[in-house]
Every structure is written in structure tokens, then in C-alpha cells.
């Protein structure tokens, strides 16, 4: 509140600047005489600057003025702005900044009170107070105990959401491999922009909730949030769908659906875009890019891994709960970061597991993880694999065990002999599920830990290499062929021959008779 103690003199004070920077919501009352005050205009500049940096909420109140008067500085705003231009003719940049600030605030959704249209001021004020109170009472969702590397991703997704656009509904899909940080990103964005909406709801782990309790329970959760009631009961999925349709059309909402994995979930909750009030925004997180495409989500964002510096910071915090670490740990910390390949899940699991351990114990543990992945990491990454069809699983294991880094055309040609003519489709599914990527150079690649996932799945088929479906270690291949221990029928063997100048890699189909 810029009371008299904060505004002595004609220039904006440092105490007022501090108050603006520490504020969460700004209510700007734009009256007919507002533009005559250079103090108010300077204050407005500070507010707009703060909003740009921190994405805070601005609610303009158009008090007996039309938003167009503010936007184009006409009628009651024309004369004072002309006077400012005369007064500051040697500093025209300042006046232009004021004009741009007025235009920007006039473009925002706010409250409009006009004399003679039957509105009572006390009712008008009550509406504002109720709206603001609800926003203030909203508790931010916990993001992470030590979030890192979010700023750039948040900025990119918020740009796709185009919050200031009021005439349409936008959906943004966030996708990526398991453990990459999709939910963390969605929560951070939700906390940042929820105040811009009349209603907001974050449905966490849609897949898990619908599997455990059914779609009806999920719909009731959404209705409870939208209608502000503790518990909403419906007479089934269709009844709840009708109620959701009605609730979504009444107010501008922010809806976040986390970990969606089926079209049924989207149909039950989101329905059609015309259910939503203009200005509403929907964020969907999923491992399956095709789910977004098939439901007409045109704006998508793929979450990439952490860079080395952010990954190291997260690991140190998780393992030591401080930013200062004994230098003797430097090499092993870098080794863990390299092993994680930017995947936050790995750092969040390994860090606490090795807290309080010596450097020797850290190195020993990483030796173990490189040989046999940590079970918690393995199981979380394996969720995407488990969702595949049998033929797709087989293609994934072939690629993970034998063909990482090969040309796409070559992989398709090799695997077509084993899996038939559906190779383009199968590899396409793996790409959509974020298990495989096609590089800009047309090579088939995958995250190092996804490669390890595939090899670990094959390793767990049997403690004996000769009983496994795929082989890639030179020693195993030589020993098995030498002792004629092959007990499988048509599988790939990966063979390397090292000469003085080059290393030649060959692959063979091996047909064995038991």
C-alpha cells in the first residue's frame, strides 16, 4: 500500500520501490485523473518492470474510465499526456515509457466500474476483495527442496501459454523421459501463474489416481477444486463430465494434468476446448508425445536434462545438504554427474543413498550402479517400457543392446528381417514414448540410462548369458560360441574386432540348433 509515509516529494522513493518488489499482487486504480500524476506513472513503470522480471499479477481497476482511453491515451488521458510531453520535451523517452506502460496495463484483464450502469461501488469492491482474498489464501505447491535449472524451461513454457491472450484457450503439452523433471517444471509454472486465473487446479499423477480409484474419483477431485467445495459426489462418469463442462465454462481456469497416459483420462477431464471459458490454459505432462499429437495439442515442449553445473549443484545438495564440499569428493561427484547424464531422478536417488559415505564408498557404489542399475531408478524408467506392445519391446531391446548410434535406415533394414515390415511404426512409437531419439544426422540414439535399462532387462532374463535373448559383451560371445552353448534361436550378436588401425563392428544373425 503506497500510503503517505511512502510517497513524500515528487519522485518515487526507495522505500516504495522496495514495497513494489516485495509485493505479490498489484491493484492499479485507473481513474480519469490518473495520467496527470507523474508520480503514479513512475510507480506504474516500476510495477510493470517487476512484473516482467517475476511474472507477478496485475489487476487494473478501470474506475469510471474506458480501457480504450487508457490504451490509446484519449479523452481524459489525452490532455495530461500532452502536458507531460511538453514538460519533458528534453526527455521524450520517459513519456514514451509511460505511454507503453499505460497500453500494457490496459490490455490486462481487470475490473471495470462505470457510473450509471447499475453497479454499486460496495458490491464492486466486495467482488475485488473476494477475488484477491482467494488468491492470497492459495498456498503454493511444494516444487522441490532444491530446484535447479528451471528458469529457462519455465520461461519457454510460459511463452507458449501466452497468458495475456484473452480470446482463446491454449493447451501446452510437456513431454520427456521418466525422471527428467516434467512434474517439477509443471508445479513451478503453476505456482508462478495461478494468480492470473479465476480458478486453478493441479491434478497430480492422473495415471496413478485413475488406476487406483477410477476416472470418476478423478473427476470429483477436479469438481471439488473448481467449485470450491470439500467433496463433490456424482452419479457416474457421464454425470461428472456434464458438471465439469458446466463448471469450466463459467470462469477462466488454469488446469494442470500431471502424468497423463491415456486418451480416456483427457476425455473425462478436458473434454473439448469449447468447454473452457476464453483465456483458460491447460498444461499436460506425459511421457507419450503421441498422446498429445492425437488429441490436437499443437504446442508441445520437451524437457531436456540438466547441464553439468546444475546437475552438480543438485547432487551436492542431495548428498551433503550444503553447497560446500570437501575437495576430495570432486572427482567422484563429477563421475556421478556423468553417469546421470542430466537426469534429476538419478541424482535425487543416489545423493541421499550415499550421504555420509567416504570417497571410497562412493566410487564403489558407482562401480556397482554402472554394472547393475539402482533398483529404484530402474523401476521408474521401466514404466515406459512396460507400456509398450510386445513387438515394440523387442525392437527397443534390440536397439538398446546392439544398435545405438547406427543410421536409422540401417537399423530399419537390419531389424526388418527379424520383425517384418512394421519397423517405421515401431521405431516411431519408441520415439513418441521418449525411449529413443533420432538425431539431426539421422542416427538412432537414446539416453545412456535408457540404454542401461534395456541391457538390464535382458540381463535379468537369466543369470547365465547363454540363456539370454541378446548378447553384446565380447567375452560372453566368444565363450558361448567356443563351447557351443547357444540355446536361443534367432537373435542378434554384437561382435567387435580390433585391428592396429581400426575397430570393425559386425552384426550377425545367429540361428542355433539346440
Amino acid at each position: 500500500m503506497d500510503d503517505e509515509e511512502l510517497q513524500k516529494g515528487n519522485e518515487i522513493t526507495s522505500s516504495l520501490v522496495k514495497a513494489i518488489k516485495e509485493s505479490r499482487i498489484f491493484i492499479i486504480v485507473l481513474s480519469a485523473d490518473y495520467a496527470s500524476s507523474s508520480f503514479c506513472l513512475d510507480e506504474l513503470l516500476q510495477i510493470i518492470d517487476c512484473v516482467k522480471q517475476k511474472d507477478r499479477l496485475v489487476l487494473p481497476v478501470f474506475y469510471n474510465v474506458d480501457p480504450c482511453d487508457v490504451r490509446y491515451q484519449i479523452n481524459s488521458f489525452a490532455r495530461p499526456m500532452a502536458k507531460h510531453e511538453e514538460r519533458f520535451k528534453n526527455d521524450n523517452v520517459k513519456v514514451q515509457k509511460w505511454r507503453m506502460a499505460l497500453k500494457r496495463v490496459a490490455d490486462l484483464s481487470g475490473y471495470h466500474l462505470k457510473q450509471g450502469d447499475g453497479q454499486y461501488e460496495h458490491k464492486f469492491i466486495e467482488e475485488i476483495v473476494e477475488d484477491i482474498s482467494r488468491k492470497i489464501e492459495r498456498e503454493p505447491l511444494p516444487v522441490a527442496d532444491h530446484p535447479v535449472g528451471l528458469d529457462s524451461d519455465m520461461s519457454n513454457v510460459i511463452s507458449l501459454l501466452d497468458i495475456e491472450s484473452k480470446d482463446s484457450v491454449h493447451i501446452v503439452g510437456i513431454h520427456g523421459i521418466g525422471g527428467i523433471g516434467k512434474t517439477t517444471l509443471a508445479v513451478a509454472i503453476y505456482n508462478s501463474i495461478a494468480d492470473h486465473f479465476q480458478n486453478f487446479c493441479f491434478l497430480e499423477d492422473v495415471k496413478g489416481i485413475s488406476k487406483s480409484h477410477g476416472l470418476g474419483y478423478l473427476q470429483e477431485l477436479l469438481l471439488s477444486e473448481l467449485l470450491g467445495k470439500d467433496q463433490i459426489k456424482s452419479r457416474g462418469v457421464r454425470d461428472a463430465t456434464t458438471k465439469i463442462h458446466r463448471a469450466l465454462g463459467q470462469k477462466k481456469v488454469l488446469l494442470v494434468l500431471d502424468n497423463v497416459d491415456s486418451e480416456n483420462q483427457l476425455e473425462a477431464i478436458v473434454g473439448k476446448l469449447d468447454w473452457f471459458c476464453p483465456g483458460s490454459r491447460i498444461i499436460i505432462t506425459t511421457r507419450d508425445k503421441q498422446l498429445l499429437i492425437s488429441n490436437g495439442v499443437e504446442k508441445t515442449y520437451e524437457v531436456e536434462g540438466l547441464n553439468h553445473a546444475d546437475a552438480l549443484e543438485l547432487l551436492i545438495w542431495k548428498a551433503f545438504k550444503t553447497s560446500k564440499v570437501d575437495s576430495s569428493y570432486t572427482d567422484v561427484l563429477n563421475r556421478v554427474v556423468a553417469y546421470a547424464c542430466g537426469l534429476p531422478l538419478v541424482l535425487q536417488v543416489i545423493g541421499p543413498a550415499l550421504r555420509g559415505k567416504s570417497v571410497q564408498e562412493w566410487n564403489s557404489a558407482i562401480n556397482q550402479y554402472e554394472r547393475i542399475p539402482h533398483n529404484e531408478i530402474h523401476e521408474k524408467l521401466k514404466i515406459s517400457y512396460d507400456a509398450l506392445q510386445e513387438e515394440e519391446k523387442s525392437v527397443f531391446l534390440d536397439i538398446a543392446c546392439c544398435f545405438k548410434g547406427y543410421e536409422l535406415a540401417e537399423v530399419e533394414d537390419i531389424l526388418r528381417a527379424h520383425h517384418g515390415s512394421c519397423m517405421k511404426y515401431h521405431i516411431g512409437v519408441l520415439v513418441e514414448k521418449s525411449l529413443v531419439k533420432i538425431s539431426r544426422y539421422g542416427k538412432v540414439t537414446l539416453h545412456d540410462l535408457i540404454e542401461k535399462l534395456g541391457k538390464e532387462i535382458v540381463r535379468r532374463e537369466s543369470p547365465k548369458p547363454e540363456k539370454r535373448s541378446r548378447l553384446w559383451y565380447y567375452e560372453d560371445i566368444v565363450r558361448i560360441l567356443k563351447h557351443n552353448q547357444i540355446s536361443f534361436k534367432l537373435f542378434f550378436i554384437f561382435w567387435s574386432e580390433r585391428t592396429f588401425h581400426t575397430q570393425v563392428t559386425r552384426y550377425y544373425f545367429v540361428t542355433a540348433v539346440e
Side-chain angles (χ1 to χ4, degrees):
M1 181 79 71
D2 56 341
D3 56 27
E4 292 180 4
E5 292 299 316
L6 290 178
Q7 50 172 313
K8 293 179 179 178
N10 293 322
E11 293 187 0
I12 190 167
T13 62
S14 59
S15 55
L16 180 54
V17 172
K18 183 174 183 291
I20 289 172
K21 288 181 177 179
E22 293 175 354
S23 294
R24 174 175 158 189
I25 299 173
F26 302 102
I27 307 171
I28 302 172
V29 182
L30 295 150
S31 62
D33 201 36
Y34 183 90
S36 64
S37 169
S38 60
F39 185 94
C40 285
L41 294 171
D42 278 339
E43 184 182 46
L44 179 61
L45 277 181
Q46 285 290 331
I47 290 172
I48 295 299
D49 185 57
C50 184
V51 170
K52 285 180 181 176
Q53 294 179 27
K54 300 183 179 180
D55 196 40
R56 301 295 172 84
L57 178 63
V58 177
L59 292 171
V61 177
F62 301 99
Y63 183 74
N64 294 324
V65 297
D66 193 285
C68 286
D69 294 350
V70 182
R71 184 178 294 110
Y72 301 112
Q73 290 104 61
I74 57 177
N75 296 327
S76 62
F77 276 69
R79 193 170 181 181
M81 293 308 294
K83 284 186 176 181
H84 290 317
E85 286 192 336
E86 179 63 28
R87 179 184 172 191
F88 296 102
K89 56 187 175 184
N90 293 327
D91 188 10
N92 193 47
V93 173
K94 185 184 191 74
V95 179
Q96 290 305 311
K97 285 182 179 179
W98 286 343
R99 288 189 180 278
M100 290 301 294
L102 287 168
K103 183 179 185 307
R104 176 157 184 174
V105 78
D107 288 336
L108 300 175
S109 296
Y111 309 91
H112 191 188
L113 178 68
K114 289 190 266 185
Q115 283 184 336
D117 65 354
Q119 285 182 295
Y120 292 102
E121 283 198 11
H122 72 280
K123 290 288 187 183
F124 184 71
I125 293 170
E126 283 176 8
E127 180 187 346
I128 296 174
V129 170
E130 183 181 334
D131 193 14
I132 298 299
S133 297
R134 189 173 52 81
K135 295 180 189 301
I136 290 173
E137 289 168 4
R138 178 185 67 84
E139 290 292 331
L141 297 177
V143 179
D145 60 354
H146 192 76
V148 296
L150 286 176
D151 291 345
S152 177
D153 286 333
M154 284 182 65
S155 177
N156 290 333
V157 175
I158 290 173
S159 176
L160 291 174
L161 288 167
D162 191 14
I163 296 169
E164 294 187 6
S165 172
K166 298 174 287 187
D167 301 328
S168 57
V169 178
H170 292 306
I171 303 181
V172 173
I174 299 174
H175 64 96
I177 64 174
I180 201 71
K182 300 181 295 295
T183 299
T184 300
L185 175 60
V187 170
I189 293 169
Y190 174 85
N191 287 341
S192 175
I193 67 175
D195 285 341
H196 292 262
F197 298 85
Q198 293 169 291
N199 269 11
F200 29 79
C201 178
F202 190 106
L203 286 180
E204 188 171 4
D205 192 16
V206 168
K207 173 188 174 183
I209 292 174
S210 61
K211 185 177 181 180
S212 301
H213 304 285
L215 289 175
Y217 180 78
L218 202 63
Q219 291 176 314
E220 289 171 3
L221 281 179
L222 175 59
L223 282 169
S224 297
E225 291 290 330
L226 293 178
L227 301 178
K229 298 179 181 179
D230 291 339
Q231 191 171 16
I232 301 290
K233 289 295 181 183
S234 62
R235 295 189 299 273
V237 172
R238 289 187 179 180
D239 178 51
T241 300
T242 301
K243 290 179 178 177
I244 291 171
H245 184 183
R246 192 181 305 123
L248 290 174
Q250 294 174 352
K251 293 182 179 180
K252 186 174 78 168
V253 302
L254 170 64
L255 178 58
V256 181
L257 306 178
D258 171 54
N259 192 24
V260 177
D261 78 332
S262 84
E263 197 158 326
N264 290 339
Q265 295 156 6
L266 291 180
E267 287 177 357
I269 300 170
V270 176
K272 299 178 181 178
L273 287 186
D274 59 12
W275 286 14
F276 290 81
C277 178
S280 295
R281 297 294 182 268
I282 306 153
I283 299 173
I284 301 167
T285 76
T286 181
R287 297 186 182 197
D288 188 351
K289 185 179 180 182
Q290 178 58 31
L291 182 66
L292 302 173
I293 296 170
S294 63
N295 283 275
V297 180
E298 296 179 355
K299 296 183 177 182
T300 62
Y301 185 78
E302 182 175 9
V303 183
E304 302 288 349
L306 297 173
N307 61 37
H308 184 89
D310 288 337
L312 186 59
E313 180 184 337
L314 178 59
L315 175 62
I316 289 172
W317 176 258
K318 286 291 183 180
F320 302 96
K321 291 295 182 181
T322 179
S323 58
K324 296 181 179 179
V325 182
D326 190 298
S327 60
S328 62
Y329 283 88
T330 300
D331 289 342
V332 74
L333 288 171
N334 284 323
R335 187 180 171 194
V336 174
V337 168
Y339 170 78
C341 293
L343 205 63
L345 166 67
V346 178
L347 305 170
Q348 291 163 353
V349 171
I350 292 180
L354 297 180
R355 188 177 299 150
K357 305 292 185 183
S358 67
V359 174
Q360 291 75 18
E361 288 173 304
W362 273 70
N363 275 308
S364 178
I366 299 308
N367 290 338
Q368 169 72 4
Y369 295 149
E370 287 176 341
R371 194 170 63 87
I372 302 175
H374 190 288
N375 198 55
E376 182 179 349
I377 298 169
H378 175 84
E379 290 304 318
K380 287 187 177 180
L381 293 178
K382 190 170 175 281
I383 291 171
S384 295
Y385 171 82
D386 290 336
L388 298 173
Q389 300 296 321
E390 287 305 311
E391 190 82 357
E392 293 156 2
K393 288 180 179 179
S394 183
V395 172
F396 167 72
L397 294 179
D398 289 340
I399 292 172
C401 294
C402 302
F403 298 112
K404 180 181 179 181
Y406 274 59
E407 297 282 348
L408 174 61
E410 188 177 9
V411 173
E412 289 177 348
D413 186 51
I414 296 168
L415 296 183
R416 189 178 293 111
H418 183 46
H419 299 289
S421 59
C422 303
M423 283 312 307
K424 281 190 180 296
Y425 173 76
H426 292 325
I427 293 178
V429 169
L430 298 180
V431 171
E432 290 156 4
K433 300 284 186 185
S434 302
L435 289 169
V436 166
K437 285 187 175 183
I438 308 302
S439 74
R440 69 178 70 178
Y441 306 109
K443 293 182 181 293
V444 178
T445 184
L446 59 166
H447 191 283
D448 287 356
L449 289 176
I450 298 296
E451 177 189 3
K452 292 180 187 296
L453 165 72
K455 290 180 176 179
E456 179 62 11
I457 289 170
V458 172
R459 189 193 69 82
R460 292 186 183 188
E461 291 174 352
S462 171
K464 299 180 179 180
E466 60 268 21
K467 297 290 185 180
R468 297 172 192 161
S469 60
R470 293 154 183 83
L471 298 173
W472 57 91
Y473 285 123
Y474 172 83
E475 292 82 1
D476 289 342
I477 295 167
V478 170
R479 182 177 62 81
I480 290 170
L481 291 177
K482 184 176 180 181
H483 294 90
N484 195 26
Q485 294 174 324
I486 303 172
S487 59
F488 49 86
K489 292 187 175 179
L490 189 61
F491 293 101
F492 292 108
I493 289 183
F494 206 48
W495 185 284
S496 294
E497 295 180 357
R498 188 177 298 277
T499 65
F500 183 75
H501 295 292
T502 62
Q503 178 171 323
V504 180
T505 302
R506 297 181 182 142
Y507 48 85
Y508 299 93
F509 284 110
V510 177
T511 303
V513 179
E514 298 192 34

